[in-house]
Amino acid sequence: MTARTKTGADSGAAGDAAAPVPALDTDALIDDPGIRIIVCCGSGGVGKTTTAAALGVRAAERGRKVVVLTIDPARRLAQSMGIDSLDNVPRRVKGIEGSGELHAMMLDMKRTFDEIVEAHADGERARAILENPFYQSLSAGFAGTQEYMAMEKLGQLRARDEWDLIVVDTPPSRSALDFLDAPKRLGSFLDGKFIKLLMAPAKMGGRAGMKFLNVGMSMMTGTLGKLLGGQFLRDVQTFVAAMDTMFGGFRTRADATYKLLQAPGTAFLVVATPERDALREAAYFVERLAAEDMPLAGLVLNRVHGSEAARLSAEQALAGAEKLEAENLETDGIVDQAAGKAGLREPADSPAAGHAPTTDSEPRPDSTAVTTEELTAGLLRLHAERMQVVAREQNTRDRFTALHPEVAVTAVAALPGDVHDLSGLRAIGDRLATGSAPAGAA
């Protein structure tokens, strides 16, 4: 099953008219038993975590057994699901309505690396690796380690075959799709020439190994020792010797996970907001996924604005506001002029003017009060600003769809506040499923 509909070009539409943008049917996606992995990717701050959580809730309440894996350190996912905290172990989410189940977890990068070591090395060797200073630095913050461990954890979850749908919230990355590159980068590092050179003395052993170390390593240690420090190199060598039997496994698992991402049972959702930079990044994601033969389901466009009074354009609203303000100004001028002339005589509320004094129960004119006309003009200006935002977002979206007319899109109307519970996630899920922009946004 596919989550896309055919475009006008696909169906043989003729003429210069723009083909309709295919709608992304997220319910068809999460209901498809053949889809086992959904990967939400996009630049930072566009709502990947919320989208992943909302999809997880909706899929579970439609009968699937789901686990959501987030790499977001903000812990918003745990809070929205009513869980005190998330860790490297899937936690059951309570309050799910329906026959399915929802579990959630947050990647613990170091713990995942430790688990790999513990699973693929005997007790003594595992302890030597875990206590090694270079390993501790590598597992806690080496470039690409978080992305690699996210893919490692995905592979572990899929291998367990405990859940029929895994939803992945990818790491926030400055470079698009770093998590796709990370397994290859880390695998290449751990299986590269530098590591093999460091491994050679340990493999040769005895005097031959020491001779190689003294001769072959002297130049390298002379240079790198000045840059990195002799102790650092010794830590690396100790780490390499302990990890000798594990290096091939890193590359093998990285390749297996990469192929898993390319498999028909995986679907990528690119998440963006209707802003120029976010959609530019989304376009790069779409192109990169195509280049890597990754199955793209479509684009989720978050926080789209609209108006229930879209028939009143920004220009009309501004014209109406200006007219009301001009009329109000003219009226104020007449009143002021009349008051000025009256000021030459006795005050209007003076007994000498033949008027009874104003009592406290009678309303007194207040020059600071907002008139109906002023209030209406202000509301018209607010509406004009809203319609300008709607038009700007639509123009930005149109530029994206012109470049990628084949990409199915669902637009999620902006909520008035943040999502912080299951009800909010259900609301997002409803908006994802409708596949339409809010009033005035289309």
Side-chain angles (χ1 to χ4, degrees):
M1 182 181 295
T2 180
R4 302 184 197 171
T5 59
K6 289 187 176 181
T7 64
D10 291 334
S11 59
D16 295 331
V21 177
L24 172 63
D25 188 344
T26 56
D27 278 352
L29 184 68
I30 61 179
D31 289 345
D32 184 354
I35 297 297
R36 303 293 303 275
I37 298 172
I38 295 177
V39 182
C40 297
C41 57
S43 55
V46 296
K48 293 193 303 294
T49 300
T50 302
T51 298
L55 286 170
V57 170
R58 192 169 183 87
E61 295 190 336
R62 293 172 71 88
R64 301 198 71 175
K65 188 174 182 181
V66 188
V67 60
V68 177
L69 168 63
T70 183
I71 297 91
D72 186 355
R75 300 186 183 275
R76 287 172 294 143
L77 180 65
Q79 295 169 0
S80 65
M81 293 182 172
I83 300 175
D84 293 335
S85 63
L86 292 177
D87 53 24
N88 221 37
V89 178
R91 305 290 179 183
R92 178 81 177 265
V93 177
K94 299 178 181 179
I96 294 299
E97 302 169 356
S99 59
E101 292 181 15
L102 178 62
H103 298 76
M105 62 183 297
M106 185 169 69
L107 178 73
D108 184 330
M109 178 177 65
K110 188 178 187 311
R111 183 59 206 148
T112 301
F113 211 151
D114 291 350
E115 289 172 355
I116 298 172
V117 172
E118 292 166 353
H120 296 88
D122 58 48
E124 184 177 349
R125 178 167 293 194
R127 185 166 54 255
I129 295 171
L130 296 176
E131 293 175 356
N132 182 273
F134 177 72
Y135 168 79
Q136 292 173 358
S137 298
L138 176 70
S139 61
F142 191 80
T145 303
Q146 184 186 48
E147 290 83 356
Y148 177 88
M149 291 305 149
M151 295 301 98
E152 180 77 32
K153 181 57 68 175
L154 171 60
Q156 292 176 6
L157 292 172
R158 185 66 182 86
R160 287 167 63 176
D161 205 27
E162 185 175 344
W163 297 274
D164 56 32
L165 180 62
I166 303 169
V167 182
V168 183
D169 165 34
T170 56
S173 302
R174 292 185 63 186
S175 299
L177 299 183
D178 268 356
F179 71 98
L180 289 179
D181 294 327
K184 289 184 177 180
R185 288 203 310 269
L186 190 59
S188 296
F189 167 74
L190 295 175
D191 198 27
K193 294 180 179 179
F194 174 68
I195 292 296
K196 287 180 178 179
L197 180 62
L198 293 176
M199 287 172 61
K203 283 188 173 182
M204 295 174 67
R207 293 184 177 180
M210 291 304 298
K211 183 178 181 181
F212 179 90
L213 179 63
N214 291 332
V215 177
M217 296 289 289
S218 58
M219 290 188 292
M220 184 179 72
T221 54
T223 303
L224 293 180
K226 294 178 182 178
L227 295 173
L228 305 175
Q231 183 60 47
F232 175 82
L233 285 178
R234 284 190 291 273
D235 290 339
V236 172
Q237 288 173 318
T238 304
F239 165 76
V240 168
M243 290 279 285
D244 184 11
T245 59
M246 295 180 58
F247 285 116
F250 281 98
R251 173 60 62 86
T252 300
R253 287 192 302 277
D255 291 344
T257 303
Y258 197 79
K259 291 178 181 178
L260 181 64
L261 292 174
Q262 293 176 315
T266 299
F268 280 82
L269 290 176
V270 175
V271 184
T273 53
E275 300 168 359
R276 184 176 60 181
D277 291 343
L279 278 174
R280 182 187 298 120
E281 196 75 359
Y284 180 85
F285 274 67
V286 168
E287 293 160 6
R288 177 67 191 281
L289 287 169
E292 299 286 342
D293 293 325
M294 300 289 176
L296 173 65
L299 171 72
V300 173
L301 200 58
N302 271 333
R303 303 173 197 150
V304 176
H305 294 89
S307 172
E308 296 296 334
R311 287 181 295 177
L312 180 63
S313 68
E315 293 76 12
Q316 291 171 327
L318 285 174
E322 291 171 358
K323 182 178 180 180
L324 283 171
E325 289 166 349
E327 291 175 352
N328 195 56
L329 182 63
E330 183 178 346
T331 302
D332 287 344
I334 294 173
V335 171
D336 291 343
Q337 185 179 14
K341 291 181 179 178
L344 297 175
R345 302 189 298 272
E346 294 292 334
D349 59 354
S350 170
H355 297 285
T358 303
T359 64
D360 291 340
S361 61
E362 295 176 352
R364 185 185 301 271
D366 185 357
S367 60
T368 63
V370 178
T371 66
T372 302
E373 291 78 7
E374 290 172 330
L375 180 60
T376 304
L379 291 173
L380 285 170
R381 287 192 176 277
L382 285 175
H383 175 74
E385 291 177 4
R386 178 67 170 230
M387 293 308 298
Q388 288 169 347
V389 170
V390 170
R392 183 171 62 249
E393 290 181 353
Q394 186 61 44
N395 288 336
T396 304
R397 176 178 172 175
D398 288 344
R399 285 196 291 270
F400 173 87
T401 54
L403 290 172
H404 300 284
E406 78 288 354
V407 177
V409 180
T410 185
V412 180
L415 290 176
D418 292 334
V419 175
H420 51 76
D421 55 20
L422 284 177
S423 296
L425 292 175
R426 289 190 185 99
I428 293 293
D430 291 341
R431 285 164 168 75
L432 282 165
T434 57
S436 61

